């Protein structure tokens, strides 16, 4: 994906993202692409002759909020996962929704399916949801009421129960054969990996205001009846929180910060991560997406190995191996089958260690990465790094990238 082959066809003005109204801006582009689908006579300067040029849309590449805007599926409700759709298994906590139903992706006779104590207090008897085909989407969209696009106004629709989480019919369905594609919208590995790394780093380092291990998250354990050893203890007017195995002590945080502050890496391997480390304050901050990419896949697992308990460090190392194998240049179908089985086990191990508040939808989405890799190929051609570097690196910094 070299910069010489990038072509900006549409730039939406304004300080804010158009959200679901983006279809209004895409309409002219879709009309031209529909004309090019049938072919247009084009002059070839090299051969000095005309030929019929045809154009097809392979897929879209965007972050998760834009994913929902283009697909027309709300990614902020209980059915936030577009792959699990109506079969998403959210759990309502005191402060948020969490997505912990990963043991339904395990084999049917796996012993963890019956383990109430380690997961959400329930026996899992279901199976992994099947992703919707294009025809399934169109069938569900038939139950969606008319959606009026208007700037600055809330859209009103009368949607029956079979419309589920749909907010509109995507304009891309006007393009021929769009409903026959097996992969229409790509989950962005870059942003999802960054969010997982951020969650892990903030929770392990116990960053105030960022960690997922809070008083509310401990009371969530009480509500679910799991991990009794981490339940809050009432001491008069005070509430004591037992120390968790996944957080570092002040001395251990100092060791980690010293290690990262003195870390030397090869040229062009990553940015200078030591600039983001405040040793005296025991903080790691202002990391960019690629910093999280390097930190999660190459640095942080080896840093915390031997510092955190075995069950915690092993789960983090397994998620590191998953992303490292997923981001390799050469992907083999058999290896992706193994990754698909391993990521379900890895996320279940995360559930055994971290509190339910840790599992936002971003932590859930990697379970669908192997399937996308089987259909779309290498991640390097389907993530946001090239586009963000193109826009933010060589163009004006105030451009907001939405798709």
């Amino acid at each position: 994906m070299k910069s010489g082959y990038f072509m900006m066809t549409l730039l939406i003005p304004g300080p804010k993202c158009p959200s679901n109204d983006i279809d209004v801006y895409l309409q002219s582009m879709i009309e031209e692409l529909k004309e090019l689908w049938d072919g247009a006579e084009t002059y070839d300067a090299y051969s000095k002759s005309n030929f019929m040029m045809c154009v097809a849309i392979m897929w879209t590449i965007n972050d998760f909020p834009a994913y929902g805007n283009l697909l027309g599926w709300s990614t902020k409700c209980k059915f936030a996962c577009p792959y699990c759709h109506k079969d998403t298994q959210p759990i309502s906590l005191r402060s948020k929704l969490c997505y912990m139903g990963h043991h339904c992706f395990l084999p049917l006779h796996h012993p963890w399916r019956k383990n109430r104590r380690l997961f959400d207090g329930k026996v899992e008897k279901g199976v992994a949801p099947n992703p919707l085909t294009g025809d399934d989407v169109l069938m569900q969209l038939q139950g969606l009421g008319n959606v009026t696009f208007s700037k600055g106004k809330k859209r009103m629709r009368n949607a029956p129960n079979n419309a589920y989480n749909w907010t509109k019919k995507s304009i891309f369905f006007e393009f021929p054969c769009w409903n026959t594609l097996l992969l229409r919208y790509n989950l962005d590995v870059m942003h999802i990996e960054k969010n997982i790394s951020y969650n892990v780093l903030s929770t392990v380092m116990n960053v105030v205001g960022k960690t997922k291990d809070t008083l509310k998250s401990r009371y969530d354990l009480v509500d679910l009846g799991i991990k009794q050893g981490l339940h809050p203890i009432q001491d008069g007017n005070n509430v004591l929180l037992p120390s968790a195995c996944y957080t570092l002590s002040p001395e251990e945080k100092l060791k980690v910060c010293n290690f990262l502050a003195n870390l030397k890496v090869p040229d062009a391997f990553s940015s200078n991560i030591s600039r983001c480390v405040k040793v005296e304050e025991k903080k790691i901050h202002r990391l960019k997406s690629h910093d999280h990419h390097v930190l999660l896949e190459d640095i942080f697992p080896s840093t915390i190995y031997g510092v955190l308990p075995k069950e915690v460090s092993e789960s983090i190392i397994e998620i590191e191996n998953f992303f490292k194998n997923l981001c390799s240049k050469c992907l083999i179908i058999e290896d992706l089958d193994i990754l698909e089985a391993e990521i379900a086990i890895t996320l279940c191990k995360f559930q055994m260690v971290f509190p339910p508040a840790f599992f936002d939808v971003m932590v859930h989405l990697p379970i669908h990465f192997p399937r996308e890799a089987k259909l779309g190929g290498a991640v390097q051609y389907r993530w946001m790094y090239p586009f963000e570097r193109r826009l933010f690196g060589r163009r004006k910094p105030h451009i907001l990238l939405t798709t």
Side-chain angles (χ1 to χ4, degrees):
M1 302 180 73
K2 297 181 180 179
S3 59
Y5 298 97
F6 281 85
M7 180 185 299
M8 180 177 288
T9 58
L10 178 66
L11 182 63
I12 301 175
K16 295 182 180 180
C17 171
S19 188
N20 283 331
D21 294 332
I22 193 172
D23 286 10
V24 177
Y25 299 93
L26 293 175
Q27 190 170 6
S28 58
M29 185 185 73
I30 293 295
E31 291 298 327
E32 291 185 6
L33 289 173
K34 287 163 63 177
E35 294 179 7
L36 292 173
W37 168 263
D38 298 324
E41 189 174 3
T42 308
Y43 178 73
D44 184 3
Y46 180 78
S47 62
K48 298 181 180 179
S49 61
N50 293 338
F51 70 98
M52 290 298 294
M53 181 181 68
C54 299
V55 173
I57 303 178
M58 292 180 61
W59 49 55
T60 68
I61 304 173
N62 34 256
D63 58 14
F64 197 55
Y67 186 110
N69 295 335
L70 293 176
L71 175 62
W73 180 270
S74 177
T75 57
K76 300 176 182 179
C77 303
K78 62 179 182 178
F79 298 146
C81 177
Y83 275 99
C84 297
H85 48 94
K86 63 182 179 62
D87 296 321
T88 306
Q89 300 182 21
I91 297 178
S92 181
L93 304 178
R94 297 196 174 200
S95 58
K96 60 187 293 186
L97 288 171
C98 76
Y99 303 85
M100 294 178 61
H102 302 115
H103 42 309
C104 73
F105 292 87
L106 296 172
L108 288 176
H109 301 291
H110 199 284
W112 286 354
R113 281 177 166 266
K114 299 180 181 179
N115 198 319
R116 300 171 182 263
R117 181 177 58 86
L118 294 177
F119 296 102
D120 54 2
K122 300 178 182 178
V123 174
E124 181 57 59
K125 297 181 180 179
V127 295
N130 291 320
L132 295 174
T133 64
D135 293 334
D136 293 335
V137 172
L138 292 176
M139 187 176 298
Q140 290 187 5
L141 287 171
Q142 290 177 359
L144 186 66
N146 293 327
V147 179
T148 303
F149 296 101
S150 57
K151 188 174 182 180
K153 295 182 180 180
K154 187 176 180 180
R155 290 179 301 279
M156 302 298 294
R157 63 184 178 95
N158 296 319
N161 293 332
N162 60 349
Y164 300 112
N165 226 30
W166 295 106
T167 58
K168 66 177 182 179
K169 181 179 179 180
S170 174
I171 194 173
F172 284 96
F173 279 103
E174 296 182 9
F175 194 78
C177 84
W178 185 253
N179 63 312
T180 63
L181 296 178
L182 298 178
L183 179 60
R184 295 178 292 276
Y185 310 90
N186 284 278
L187 294 172
D188 179 34
V189 175
M190 183 191 82
H191 284 101
I192 295 173
E193 183 184 34
K194 174 190 174 182
N195 278 273
I196 292 176
S197 174
Y198 186 82
N199 282 2
V200 171
L201 187 64
S202 301
T203 304
V204 169
M205 297 294 291
N206 199 20
V207 180
V208 178
K210 306 295 182 182
T211 179
K212 303 299 180 180
D213 185 27
T214 61
L215 180 60
K216 285 186 177 180
S217 70
R218 295 296 183 95
Y219 278 116
D220 292 333
L221 301 178
V222 177
D223 296 338
L224 295 174
I226 58 176
K227 300 180 182 177
Q228 284 78 10
L230 296 178
H231 290 185
I233 301 173
Q234 194 72 34
D235 183 18
N237 295 328
N238 299 323
V239 178
L240 303 179
L241 299 182
S243 59
C245 62
Y246 46 78
T247 56
L248 297 174
S249 65
E251 294 77 15
E252 292 168 339
K253 286 195 284 186
L254 184 61
K255 290 180 181 179
V256 171
C257 290
N258 277 322
F259 175 81
L260 295 177
N262 298 307
L263 182 67
K264 303 294 182 182
V265 297
D267 187 31
F269 179 77
S270 69
S271 64
N272 189 358
I273 295 180
S274 62
R275 297 178 182 175
C276 304
V277 181
K278 292 184 177 180
V279 178
E280 295 180 356
E281 299 179 15
K282 306 180 186 68
K283 288 184 179 180
I284 305 171
H285 67 135
R286 299 178 64 183
L287 293 171
K288 298 186 181 297
S289 296
H290 192 263
D291 297 332
H292 281 286
H293 172 74
V294 173
L295 199 66
L296 181 64
E297 293 191 10
D298 297 295
I299 300 174
F300 196 63
S302 59
T303 305
I304 53 95
Y305 186 78
V307 179
L308 289 172
K310 183 179 179 180
E311 64 272 14
V312 182
S313 58
E314 281 188 354
S315 61
I316 296 176
I317 290 173
E318 286 181 13
I319 199 74
E320 171 256 338
N321 289 332
F322 169 78
F323 277 108
K324 199 162 191 176
N325 292 327
L326 183 73
C327 296
S328 61
K329 294 182 179 179
C330 180
L331 296 176
I332 302 173
I333 296 295
E334 290 76 12
D335 294 340
L336 291 174
D337 291 334
I338 296 173
L339 282 182
E340 195 167 16
E342 288 180 346
I343 186 59
I345 296 175
T346 300
L347 291 177
C348 287
K349 288 183 178 180
F350 264 67
Q351 286 183 224
M352 297 178 189
V353 174
F354 292 100
F358 182 89
F359 297 92
D360 54 24
V361 69
M362 289 293 180
V363 180
H364 165 77
L365 292 175
I367 206 161
H368 303 295
F369 282 161
R371 177 187 179 273
E372 286 197 351
K374 292 177 188 178
L375 298 174
V379 171
Q380 288 80 4
Y381 302 104
R382 298 182 294 107
W383 60 9
M384 292 285 289
Y385 278 117
F387 307 104
E388 292 207 347
R389 284 171 178 165
R390 174 68 176 172
L391 285 180
F392 293 109
R394 299 190 179 185
R395 296 185 182 273
K396 294 183 179 180
H398 62 264
I399 293 178
L400 178 63
L401 186 65
T402 58
T403 61

